[in-house]
Amino acid sequence: AAGAVPLRSRAPAPLRLNAQGREIDEHGNVVEYKTTAVATLKVNVTAQKIAKYADLIKEEKAKETSYDPSRFIDPSMQGGRPKDRSRKSTFTFVEPGQMQRRAEKDRMRAQFGEEGAEAMFLRRRQEAEAARKVAAVATMDSNMIPLGQRASAPVEEVVEVKKELPAVPVCEWWDKPLLVGGVYDSVRGGKWDVKMDKINLYVEHPVLLHPPMEAAVPPPQPLKLTKAEHKKLRTQRRLQLEKEKQEMIKQGLLEAPKPKVKISNMMRVMGMEATQDPTAIEREVRVQMEERQTAHDDRNLARKLTGSERREKKLRKMFEDTAAPEVVTAIYKIARLGDKKHQWKVDVNAQENRLSGLGLVVEEGGFSAA
């Protein structure tokens, strides 16, 4: 048709560049693009949010300070200052325990009268104030207390009380049964007159008495975890450490680790470099694999115990077992100990297991040795 409007082509505008490689328009002017720095790290994003929020707060404060209510008043309408409108009444919340205290005061006034109740209230307030001061002094930093006598502290006279010591007895109670007459003056031939029938070969052991106080409460036992719970805690701990390490790498505090390239993933990791020169890339990957294996062997060798350290660890586990610190006693009966072979076996076993005992072969040692 003659009156048809031709359709506009949607082809992109041609790219025009000058001698310096900058984009220009059809008039030869350099096209300027506004670039905005966008933060990608979580730390920088948070800092930008805080700065933006601070700017908003400053703007709100500036609006509040510049507020002038007189500009909304037309002086031609009314004369004089506008009346202050009182604020609308809001909710008034009751403090917790206020009603209980009021009811308790009413009960005490009904029971003891007005004067008696006021006296009891005064005494309670004084006790509460004294308790508050004691708690404040207990939590106060001792370095902040000034030196010298406090003005509010009453000066008390220190009276030294002399304790009267008991008189020295004529004969001590532990010597009295052994001396004739029960006094130290009973001397015969330059020596004390002692009752020899009271002395024998036996040792008198005192009767064990229970302590007057109750036994202490046993300490709380540690929580026993199953193998699955131990494994779960270990996994959570390792994940937390890995997240902290990644955050430090993002902030630039740690250097990013090199990619762990192997023969199996060489083509996927290296990409185009592996296709250009596969032999050189394979040689480099094998060198990296050898370096990682060498570092692994060195770490294992550094943690490996020497012969003396292994021996000390074995003895510590056997004789210094913290799970069973008590001493275990065992009694053995040997029919004939006159043979040198039997004596040698008993001696060697006692030395190896660090046992000590008597001629009846009563041995004492650690839990593992027993």
Side-chain angles (χ1 to χ4, degrees):
V5 179
L7 298 176
R8 294 182 180 180
S9 62
R10 297 182 178 272
L15 179 63
R16 301 181 179 88
L17 302 177
N18 58 6
Q20 287 78 20
R22 298 180 180 179
E23 185 179 356
I24 58 176
D25 55 7
E26 59 271 11
H27 302 290
N29 300 324
V30 178
V31 178
E32 297 290 341
Y33 291 101
K34 295 182 179 181
T35 58
T36 305
V38 180
T40 57
L41 292 180
K42 188 175 181 180
V43 176
N44 299 335
V45 172
T46 306
Q48 289 181 359
K49 289 182 179 180
I50 294 173
K52 187 176 181 181
Y53 181 73
D55 295 339
L56 291 176
I57 295 296
K58 289 181 180 179
E59 292 178 2
E60 292 294 334
K61 289 184 177 180
K63 291 180 180 179
E64 291 178 0
T65 53
S66 61
Y67 174 73
D68 187 10
S70 61
R71 59 178 178 165
F72 299 104
I73 300 173
D74 188 2
S76 61
M77 298 294 294
Q78 289 182 354
R81 297 179 60 184
K83 296 181 180 180
D84 295 334
R85 294 183 179 180
S86 60
R87 282 191 171 186
K88 295 182 179 180
S89 59
T90 58
F91 291 105
T92 304
F93 296 98
V94 180
E95 296 182 0
Q98 181 177 354
M99 296 300 177
Q100 295 180 1
R101 291 192 295 270
R102 187 181 300 176
E104 185 179 0
K105 289 181 180 180
D106 294 341
R107 286 194 297 268
M108 294 182 68
R109 287 193 183 98
Q111 184 177 0
F112 302 104
E114 189 70 26
E115 296 181 358
E118 290 297 333
M120 295 183 69
F121 294 152
L122 179 60
R123 185 169 67 252
R124 286 188 179 182
R125 285 196 296 268
Q126 292 177 354
E127 292 176 356
E129 185 68 19
R132 188 186 62 79
K133 290 182 179 179
V134 170
V137 172
T139 57
M140 186 186 299
D141 188 3
S142 58
N143 297 324
M144 301 301 295
I145 300 176
L147 301 178
Q149 186 69 26
R150 296 185 184 180
S152 60
V155 180
E156 299 180 358
E157 296 182 359
V158 179
V159 180
E160 184 178 358
V161 179
K162 295 183 179 180
K163 186 178 180 181
E164 296 182 359
L165 299 176
V168 179
V170 180
C171 182
E172 298 291 349
W173 63 270
W174 54 80
D175 293 332
K176 198 170 185 179
L178 302 177
L179 297 176
V180 178
V183 292
Y184 290 120
D185 296 336
S186 58
V187 180
R188 183 190 301 176
K191 296 181 179 180
W192 281 314
D193 193 2
V194 181
K195 298 177 182 179
M196 299 303 297
D197 56 343
K198 296 289 185 180
I199 301 175
N200 49 36
L201 300 176
Y202 302 104
V203 178
E204 182 180 359
H205 295 278
V207 180
L208 295 178
L209 301 177
H210 294 286
M213 72 288 294
E214 297 181 359
V217 179
Q221 298 296 327
L223 183 63
K224 301 294 183 181
L225 301 178
T226 61
K227 290 185 178 180
E229 291 172 342
H230 277 293
K231 185 177 180 181
K232 184 177 180 181
L233 289 176
R234 179 175 179 270
T235 304
Q236 293 176 354
R237 185 171 60 253
R238 290 166 65 90
L239 286 176
Q240 184 65 24
L241 292 176
E242 186 64 25
K243 287 182 180 178
E244 294 177 359
K245 182 179 178 181
Q246 292 177 2
E247 287 293 334
M248 296 180 70
I249 291 174
K250 289 180 180 179
Q251 296 175 11
L253 302 177
L254 285 180
E255 183 181 358
K258 297 181 180 178
K260 189 176 181 180
V261 187
K262 298 182 291 186
I263 299 296
S264 59
N265 63 354
M266 178 182 65
M267 300 299 295
R268 185 172 65 254
V269 175
M270 304 304 292
M272 294 298 296
E273 297 180 5
T275 57
Q276 292 175 1
D277 193 354
T279 306
I281 296 299
E282 181 181 357
R283 189 184 308 111
E284 182 181 355
V285 169
R286 292 190 180 278
V287 170
Q288 294 180 5
M289 292 171 59
E290 186 176 356
E291 290 178 355
R292 290 198 298 268
Q293 185 64 32
T294 305
H296 175 74
D297 295 340
D298 293 342
R299 289 194 298 270
N300 289 345
L301 188 61
R303 289 196 301 266
K304 186 177 180 181
L305 300 178
T306 61
S308 59
E309 291 176 346
R310 287 197 300 271
R311 195 177 305 108
E312 291 178 0
K313 181 180 178 182
K314 182 179 179 181
L315 294 176
R316 185 170 60 253
K317 290 179 64 177
M318 182 178 292
F319 304 111
E320 299 179 8
D321 190 4
T322 57
E326 69 273 3
V327 176
V328 180
T329 304
I331 301 177
Y332 300 93
K333 179 182 178 182
I334 302 176
R336 295 187 303 272
L337 199 58
D339 192 353
K340 296 292 185 180
K341 183 178 180 181
H342 296 166
Q343 295 178 8
W344 182 83
K345 285 185 177 181
V346 173
D347 186 18
V348 170
N349 277 280
Q351 290 180 7
E352 290 181 351
N353 296 317
R354 295 187 181 182
L355 303 175
S356 60
L358 305 174
L360 295 176
V361 196
V362 180
E363 296 183 341
E364 295 179 350
F367 180 78
S368 300

